[in-house]
Amino acid sequence: MVRVLMLCLMLACLSACKPQPKEAFEATDITGADFASGLSLTDHHGKPTSLKDFKGKIVVLFFGYTHCPDVCPTTMSDLAQAMKQLGKDADDVQVLFVTLDPARDTPDVLAKYVPYFDPRFLGLYGTEAETAETAHNFKISASKQPPDARGNYSIDHSAGTYVYDKQGKIRLYFNYGASPATMAHDLRLLM
């Protein structure tokens, strides 16, 4: 009986020493992707900005436009909720909103729109050529639709979100509709 108990105790100790599986990301892990390597745009304060400026922080990067009726405000709101769920850890995260509509999304417009969701969020813009080059580098599809009689137009665009780790390496891709809880979970894993 004592031998059986000792054997059970030994087996329990050995199984406790076995490495536990690492918690998995809920987003798509794109670590090592050979695209989305960088950008050079201007933030809504007028400061030239690149991904290198945020080394030491997790960077969450979303492409959209301020006149978007649904996808963009929903994603920005979800990101703001994820930041709230992170609590003080949110200070280690920088959310960047890259406009696909530099004609309408001026620095003033971005300065009102982007920080509305969270004062730490930054809006980025460039010329038409810089915007097209950046979108191409990130494999973002964007198509401006013909304007209506009043000159209003929409832009059909990719709706996912990229995440970079604190070393500036691309790591994750959130599909549109990822919940704030999913985002907060994966951002915590990168911290």
Side-chain angles (χ1 to χ4, degrees):
M1 181 71 160
V2 172
R3 283 186 173 177
V4 172
L5 287 173
M6 290 298 284
L7 181 60
C8 289
L9 182 61
M10 227 167 49
L11 288 173
C13 287
L14 286 174
S15 68
C17 295
K18 191 167 72 172
Q20 299 300 313
K22 213 173 170 188
E23 193 171 354
F25 292 116
E26 294 182 32
T28 303
D29 187 340
I30 58 171
T31 301
D34 63 351
F35 64 97
S37 57
L39 56 80
S40 182
L41 298 168
T42 304
D43 74 16
H44 65 251
H45 300 293
K47 179 183 171 197
T49 302
S50 74
L51 291 174
K52 293 175 186 172
D53 297 329
F54 304 104
K55 286 265 173 120
K57 284 192 169 215
I58 294 167
V59 173
V60 179
L61 183 68
F62 176 72
F63 287 80
Y65 67 111
T66 64
H67 289 77
C68 179
D70 45 27
V71 170
C72 301
T74 300
T75 300
M76 294 297 284
S77 180
D78 288 346
L79 288 167
Q81 289 301 313
M83 295 289 274
K84 285 181 185 172
Q85 290 180 24
L86 289 172
K88 65 178 181 140
D89 289 336
D91 291 336
D92 290 337
V93 178
Q94 179 61 62
V95 173
L96 302 174
F97 175 90
V98 179
T99 183
L100 294 167
D101 189 12
R104 291 186 295 188
D105 290 346
T106 64
D108 287 341
V109 170
L110 288 170
K112 290 176 185 149
Y113 180 82
V114 177
Y116 168 80
F117 297 96
D118 186 298
R120 296 169 286 204
F121 291 5
L122 286 174
L124 301 181
Y125 68 94
T127 64
E128 291 282 344
E130 290 167 336
T131 300
E133 179 183 337
T134 302
H136 177 74
N137 180 34
F138 282 79
K139 299 190 182 294
I140 298 296
S141 171
S143 177
K144 181 178 172 181
Q145 299 305 301
D148 64 18
R150 301 173 78 198
N152 297 317
Y153 58 88
S154 64
I155 299 174
D156 294 341
H157 62 90
S158 305
T161 304
Y162 292 102
V163 180
Y164 293 79
D165 64 20
K166 290 184 176 187
Q167 290 73 44
K169 297 193 181 344
I170 185 97
R171 296 295 303 278
L172 303 173
Y173 181 82
F174 288 117
N175 288 318
Y176 172 66
S179 72
T182 293
M183 293 176 181
H185 169 270
D186 285 3
L187 295 174
R188 273 198 183 94
L189 289 180
L190 288 175
M191 290 185 176

